Amino acid sequence: TIPPEAFPELQRHPARYWQRIALAAWLLATSGISLQLEVSEHLAQLLGIHNPESGSIKRLLNVTLYEEHGLVERTKEPIHLVYQERVHLLQLSARGRSLASALGIQPVTSEWQQFRDHHRGDTDQRHTAACLKFAYFFRAKGCHVEVLPKVTGRTRPDLLATDNGENFYLEVETK
């Protein structure tokens, strides 16, 4: 495919790089995954790149999509979890969702946005990041994960992980 007419600045990229941009937009739009580490791993796998921390993946997400074209929004500073681990959250921006729509993709609500809308995701980014890191762990083990699942009652658990038909509701606590 070629960049949509509404995004002429994307046409300056070589066709192969444009395909990476479109693939990243597709991944973010269809999965809703917001932990940059997990997005990087999926992109590396889809692109046949051995190291998800490679410069080409970082440039695609941090420079091309975020800084140059404003197709994603991301936490300004890395979020400190435990020990020395720091993570970023990201999602398609309004412009990125427009690109996805122009490519015929109906974007889902990102996991980060779900926390922002329903669980103080802007005021407690560390909690949001910790929840999404646990979601990543469970998905890596083959579980289906739903963030902020609807349940009867007044409160919602942070995550629902389903493995072989067995449901595990998780409430993530941070200090």
Side-chain angles (χ1 to χ4, degrees), residues 12-171:
R12 73 173 173 83
H13 294 288
R16 184 168 180 230
Y17 199 73
W18 157 246
Q19 290 171 345
R20 288 182 175 202
I21 294 169
L23 183 65
W26 169 82
L27 176 63
L28 290 165
T30 59
S31 72
I33 293 170
S34 297
L35 187 70
Q36 185 166 337
L37 168 69
E38 187 172 8
V39 171
S40 296
E41 286 188 5
H42 284 289
L43 283 172
Q45 185 178 29
L46 291 167
L47 294 168
I49 297 172
H50 179 68
N51 181 1
E53 294 294 313
S54 71
S56 60
I57 298 288
K58 287 181 179 181
R59 274 188 306 280
L60 175 63
L61 293 174
N62 299 335
V63 177
T64 305
L65 296 180
Y66 177 63
E67 293 174 6
E68 290 180 359
H69 298 295
L71 298 171
V72 298
E73 58 183 64
R74 160 188 112 143
T75 50
K76 288 184 180 18
E77 298 295 324
I79 300 165
H80 180 261
L81 290 179
V82 293
Y83 305 109
Q84 298 299 316
E85 184 174 21
R86 297 182 186 325
V87 298
H88 275 288
L89 303 179
L90 54 79
Q91 65 184 1
L92 288 175
S93 63
R95 185 168 166 67
R97 289 189 302 278
S98 294
L99 173 62
S101 295
L103 294 171
I105 303 163
Q106 178 60 45
V108 299
T109 304
S110 75
E111 292 174 337
W112 182 18
Q113 191 62 49
Q114 290 178 57
F115 274 93
R116 293 168 104 178
D117 292 344
H118 304 290
H119 203 64
R120 303 179 334 269
D122 281 333
T123 58
D124 194 356
Q125 287 187 343
R126 187 166 179 256
H127 175 73
T128 301
C131 290
L132 297 183
K133 183 72 186 243
F134 274 101
Y136 160 71
F137 284 142
F138 279 96
R139 280 193 281 260
K141 297 293 182 193
C143 296
H144 171 76
V145 178
E146 182 181 343
V147 302
L148 300 173
K150 289 182 175 39
V151 295
T152 54
R154 292 182 358 168
T155 60
R156 292 168 88 172
D158 293 324
L159 302 169
L160 166 61
T162 305
D163 184 33
N164 293 322
E166 195 168 354
N167 291 334
F168 300 94
Y169 291 94
L170 296 125
E171 184 63 34

